[in-house]
Amino acid sequence: MGRWIAIGTAPGWGDIAKFGAELAETSKWRPDPQTTITTVFALGDGRLLAECHAVRQEDFEAWLRQRGWQVESLTPIKHLAKTGSIWKVS
Amino acid sequence: MMTADELRKKPQLYYDDVEVGQAMPTLVIGPLTPTHLFRWSSAIENWHRIHYDQSFAIYHDGLPNILGQGSWKQSIMPRYLKDLCLPDGWPWKVSFQHRAMIVPGDTITCWATVTGKREQEGLGYADLEVGMRLQNGVESCPGTATIVLPIRGGRPVPYPFVPLKSA
């Protein structure tokens, strides 16, 4: 399985009610059993950042299209530090 | 579809009322939250981090989220069968596989369909196909079970139930 980060914008997602409505139900962040949007940040400058765990990048791209994102960049994750632990991702 | 409480309070199920092909009442649980998973890990002292440490589960073990415990599913399925049968029947045996992962946000539907029935020494045996289906239609725990039900006007199912060697 791979992991990617997408940065972009989506209409209305800066509003927390709309943001919540877009992500509240499981099917909205887990579109199929092998694709999970693990995290979405709404940044203070109006942009969004989403992380996806999926078999193929195309599965993430399909979710981004379906949710109406204008994508600036979509990049695989190599490694990361999280609360003091550093993990290689790919 | 029934809640856990409705399933427990339903009228006694009798062998006479069960037919091959019949779908039993389903039990819906969820959406699961991390709190559910943590509570189960605490209860059974299963401290594997994939069940409560989201960062570890996602980034170290490469999972989509923290995972619902297999032992939790192994507790839910017998509970479901028990609630189908009791107070006067008995969930005799069950066997199922762990196929799909269950993660927070998932809603699980426990289901059973009658695949066979037979009467032996005054007791009613019903064979079932069982499973725990996720909200997206994925079957997480396919399996089979046998329950023992009272026959109207017949003898009570012994408590505790001791299976016949020929059953």
Side-chain angles (χ1 to χ4, degrees):
Chain A
M1 302 284 265
R3 288 180 187 277
W4 296 267
I5 289 282
I7 298 173
T9 56
W13 285 41
D15 172 66
I16 196 163
K18 169 84 169 170
F19 183 77
E22 292 287 352
L23 294 165
E25 292 178 17
T26 308
S27 60
K28 294 182 175 177
W29 51 265
R30 199 174 176 220
D32 67 66
Q34 293 188 301
T35 306
T36 304
I37 312 304
T38 58
T39 307
V40 180
F41 292 104
L43 306 179
D45 64 3
R47 292 186 301 164
L48 299 160
L49 187 152
E51 179 200 34
C52 179
H53 166 105
V55 176
R56 303 171 309 157
Q57 181 173 316
E58 293 92 307
D59 297 326
F60 188 21
E61 291 169 339
W63 182 86
L64 292 163
R65 274 196 305 276
Q66 184 193 31
R67 310 315 298 177
W69 278 51
Q70 293 292 316
V71 177
E72 289 178 19
S73 65
L74 200 168
T75 315
I77 302 171
K78 284 178 66 179
H79 48 249
L80 62 86
K82 187 98 171 176
T83 57
S85 299
I86 298 173
W87 287 306
K88 183 180 179 184
V89 176
S90 64
Chain B
M1 180 180 84
M2 285 189 173
T3 65
D5 201 42
E6 288 168 341
L7 190 63
R8 276 191 289 269
K9 291 177 178 172
K10 70 170 180 39
Q12 175 62 45
L13 181 66
Y14 287 92
Y15 178 74
D16 318 57
D17 302 327
V18 169
E19 299 298 338
V20 173
Q22 180 177 334
M24 294 294 192
T26 57
L27 170 66
V28 177
I29 299 175
L32 289 181
T33 66
T35 309
H36 289 110
L37 274 57
F38 183 74
R39 185 172 60 185
W40 182 257
S41 278
S42 300
I44 67 163
E45 298 189 356
N46 173 352
W47 304 121
H48 198 304
R49 291 170 70 182
I50 59 170
H51 297 306
Y52 60 86
D53 184 335
Q54 189 182 48
S55 292
F56 180 88
I58 291 177
Y59 299 112
H60 181 272
D61 270 24
L63 299 167
N65 206 326
I66 53 174
L67 297 187
Q69 299 89 344
S71 57
W72 178 78
K73 291 186 273 185
Q74 288 164 220
S75 79
I76 293 298
M77 183 69 83
R79 188 187 97 186
Y80 169 59
L81 294 170
K82 167 187 74 75
D83 289 340
L84 283 179
C85 302
L86 292 184
D88 296 327
W90 190 266
W92 176 23
K93 57 184 178 181
V94 61
S95 169
F96 61 89
Q97 300 175 352
H98 293 286
R99 292 263 185 96
M101 294 184 284
I102 293 177
V103 300
D106 281 345
T107 299
I108 294 121
T109 299
C110 301
W111 61 273
T113 302
V114 181
T115 57
K117 59 180 290 191
R118 60 193 181 281
E119 186 179 333
Q120 283 185 280
E121 298 196 2
L123 299 177
Y125 292 76
D127 297 319
L128 308 174
E129 184 181 358
V130 298
M132 297 174 75
R133 192 171 292 127
L134 305 184
Q135 70 284 345
N136 50 22
V138 171
E139 179 51 62
S140 179
C141 297
T144 57
T146 301
I147 58 176
V148 186
L149 298 171
I151 298 171
R152 280 202 173 83
R155 70 184 180 98
V157 176
Y159 182 93
F161 172 71
V162 178
L164 299 169
K165 287 183 180 173
S166 59

